């Protein structure tokens, strides 16, 4: 038999959100943090036009998209690195520091791809338990040592939805040594409404060891095309660009992301609808007697503990797919009003 890396024998593959269907055919997929809306007509038109060039390789440097992101956020072109979704940019970050003895610190539970990416890159994970549903920033600061190369801070956190306030985040960043890169994973930034939650781009400008990670998959509705980006000081962005797989961001993805930035006002109207539904769903759950932490993402979190899989199974029988993280809780994405009502009916019927 061929010989492979021993770490692969102990790894569990990433488990994406799954769809389910009720006996009558009803199916509501609330297990993946996707936009419930179809792509905008202008974006579909741009994709259709772009399809005429798919016989050619995509621009390996994604120059036009990089320029569009730089213009949108008022940052230098050299501060941007792209990848096939923010998870792939995260992989590039891990590969940038992956060497024997390197460590990464992150909260747990947080984005479930972190341990997988760390293992693949040969980086040791140092996990710090959440304080309730929030990051324990003091504990994370104390976990940093001379071997630490990366710290991932997911805000809003996936799967709990909680976000870190400015004062706490700045105090934490002040404690991190300059040789450690702090990655603010802001995949859900567009859904944040708490004014005390900072925009990471206001923090990275004066800190050489802070990077901001974002995606077009959620609010921009391009989950099926995979476009993510990093904004950081030029030495960081330049290093991350070196680790990208050639032609990783395909032509249609580049075209769609540019079109989405042009249609951002229209897209953000849809985001606002999701935020309103998020408020409605959370308030309804609280009225039913559930404890639901404040969420700044496009999902809600129910800490159910040992009954997590039972709850997910009960929802599945009604055609509602949720994301169980046994034995801790269930993450439920905000979908259409009809899908949300179907979930709320499941939650009301489940003993609690």
């Amino acid at each position: 038999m061929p010989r492979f890396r021993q770490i692969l024998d102990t790894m569990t593959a990433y488990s994406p959100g799954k769809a389910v269907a009720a006996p009558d055919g009803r199916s509501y997929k609330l297990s993946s943090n996707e936009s419930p809306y179809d792509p905008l007509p202008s974006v579909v038109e741009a994709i259709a036009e772009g399809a005429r060039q798919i016989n050619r390789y995509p621009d390996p440097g994604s120059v036009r998209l990089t320029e569009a992101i730089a213009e949108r956020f008022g940052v230098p072109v050299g501060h941007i690195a792209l990848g096939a979704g923010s998870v792939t940019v995260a992989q590039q970050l891990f590969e940038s520091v992956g060497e024997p003895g390197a460590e990464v610190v992150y909260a747990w539970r947080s984005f479930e791809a972190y341990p997988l990416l760390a293992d693949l890159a040969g980086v040791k994970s140092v996990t710090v338990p959440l304080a309730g549903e929030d990051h324990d920033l003091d504990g994370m600061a104390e976990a940093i040592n001379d071997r630490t190369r990366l710290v991932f801070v997911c805000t809003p956190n996936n799967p709990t939805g909680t976000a870190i306030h400015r004062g706490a985040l700045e105090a934490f960043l002040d404690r991190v040594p300059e040789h450690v890169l702090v990655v603010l994973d802001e995949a859900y930034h567009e859904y944040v409404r708490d004014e005390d939650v900072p925009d990471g781009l206001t923090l990275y400008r004066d800190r050489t060891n802070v990077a901001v990670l974002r995606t077009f998959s959620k609010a921009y509705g391009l989950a099926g095309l995979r476009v993510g980006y990093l904004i950081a000081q030029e030495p960081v962005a330049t290093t991350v660009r070196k680790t990208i797989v050639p032609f990783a961001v395909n032509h249609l993805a580049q075209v769609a992301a540019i079109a989405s930035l042009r249609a951002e006002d229209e897209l953000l109207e849809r985001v606002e609808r999701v935020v309103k539904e998020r408020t409605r769903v959370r308030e309804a759950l609280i009225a039913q007697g559930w404890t639901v932490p404040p969420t700044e993402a496009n999902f809600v979190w129910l800490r159910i503990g040992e009954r997590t899989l039972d709850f997910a199974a009960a929802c599945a029988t009604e055609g509602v797919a949720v994301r169980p993280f046994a034995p801790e809780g269930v993450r439920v994405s905000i979908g259409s009003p009809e899908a949300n009502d179907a979930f709320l009916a499941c939650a009301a019927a489940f003993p609690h």
Side-chain angles (χ1 to χ4, degrees), residues 111-127:
F111 183 34
E112 63 178 309
Y114 293 157
L116 172 65
L117 298 178
D119 287 348
L120 286 173
V123 178
K124 179 183 177 182
S125 290
V126 177
T127 58

Side-chain angles (χ1 to χ4, degrees), residues 137-138 141 165-176 207:
L137 294 178
D138 287 336
H165 287 170
R166 178 178 297 277
L169 184 55
E170 289 181 340
F172 169 73
L173 293 175
D174 288 342
R175 295 180 62 182
V176 178
R207 298 176 185 266

Side-chain angles (χ1 to χ4, degrees), residues 290 302-314 324-330 349-352:
W290 294 96
L302 299 177
R303 185 171 287 279
I304 304 176
E306 297 295 335
R307 305 184 70 195
T308 291
L309 294 180
D310 293 337
F311 183 87
F325 293 94
E328 293 151 274
V330 174
F350 190 82
H352 62 282

Side-chain angles (χ1 to χ4, degrees), residues 46-268:
I47 294 171
E49 180 63 28
R52 299 177 185 274
Q53 291 87 43
I54 60 172
N55 59 307
R56 305 293 184 184
Y57 285 109
D59 172 11
S62 303
V63 173
R64 290 182 57 219
L65 176 54
T66 300
E67 291 174 345
I69 294 171
E71 180 179 359
R72 165 63 182 85
F73 295 107
V75 301
V77 168
H79 287 199
I80 298 169
L82 294 172
S86 61
V87 66
T88 302
V89 184
Q91 181 180 23
Q92 294 168 229
L93 284 159
F94 278 103
E95 291 178 352
S96 297
V97 302
E99 59 186 6
E103 296 183 357
V104 58
V105 174
Y106 53 87
W108 196 255
R109 177 174 291 275
S110 192
F111 183 34
E112 63 178 309
Y114 293 157
L116 172 65
L117 298 178
D119 287 348
L120 286 173
V123 178
K124 179 183 177 182
S125 290
V126 177
T127 58
V128 178
L130 293 173
E133 313 301 346
D134 302 309
H135 279 62
D136 177 4
L137 294 178
D138 287 336
M140 292 176 67
E142 292 168 2
I144 296 171
N145 57 44
D146 290 340
R147 297 180 297 278
T148 308
R149 296 293 178 268
L150 286 175
V151 177
F152 270 83
V153 179
C154 190
T155 178
N157 186 46
N158 178 11
T160 62
T162 55
I164 301 171
H165 287 170
R166 178 178 297 277
L169 184 55
E170 289 181 340
F172 169 73
L173 293 175
D174 288 342
R175 295 180 62 182
V176 178
E178 291 184 358
H179 76 272
V180 176
L181 179 64
V182 179
V183 182
L184 303 179
D185 190 344
E186 296 186 341
Y188 305 94
H189 166 76
E190 292 82 6
Y191 299 99
V192 173
R193 293 297 177 271
D194 186 340
E195 294 182 356
D196 199 26
V197 174
D199 178 338
L201 297 182
T202 65
L203 300 174
Y204 101 96
R205 299 175 191 272
D206 299 323
R207 298 176 185 266
T208 59
N209 66 332
V210 172
V212 180
L213 189 59
R214 292 190 183 170
T215 182
F216 282 90
S217 295
K218 317 300 182 187
Y220 291 88
L222 300 183
L225 285 177
R226 316 305 300 127
V227 189
Y229 60 96
L230 177 98
I231 297 179
Q233 295 294 324
E234 190 156 0
V236 175
T238 299
T239 298
V240 174
R241 286 195 296 269
K242 292 178 181 179
T243 63
I244 190 171
V245 174
F247 308 112
V249 184
N250 73 68
H251 177 63
L252 296 184
Q254 294 181 40
V255 166
I258 293 170
S260 295
L261 286 172
R262 290 173 179 165
E264 192 172 51
D265 289 345
E266 190 175 357
L267 281 167
L268 293 181

Side-chain angles (χ1 to χ4, degrees), residues 28-37 188 191 218 270-283 285 292 295-301 321-322 331-341 343-344:
Y28 304 105
K29 186 168 181 273
L30 304 181
S31 54
S32 297
N33 295 329
E34 305 157 330
S35 170
Y37 301 106
Y188 305 94
Y191 299 99
K218 317 300 182 187
R270 293 179 167 191
V271 171
E272 195 59 38
R273 282 182 242 162
V274 172
V275 170
K276 290 180 180 178
E277 276 294 287
R278 177 183 75 190
T279 300
R280 182 179 76 88
V281 169
R282 180 172 182 263
E283 290 178 349
L285 289 170
V292 188
T295 173
E296 296 294 328
N298 65 337
F299 52 83
V300 294
W301 170 253
V322 299
R331 189 195 70 197
V332 186
S333 302
I334 300 300
S336 66
E338 178 185 0
N340 298 333
D341 287 342
F343 162 66
L344 288 171

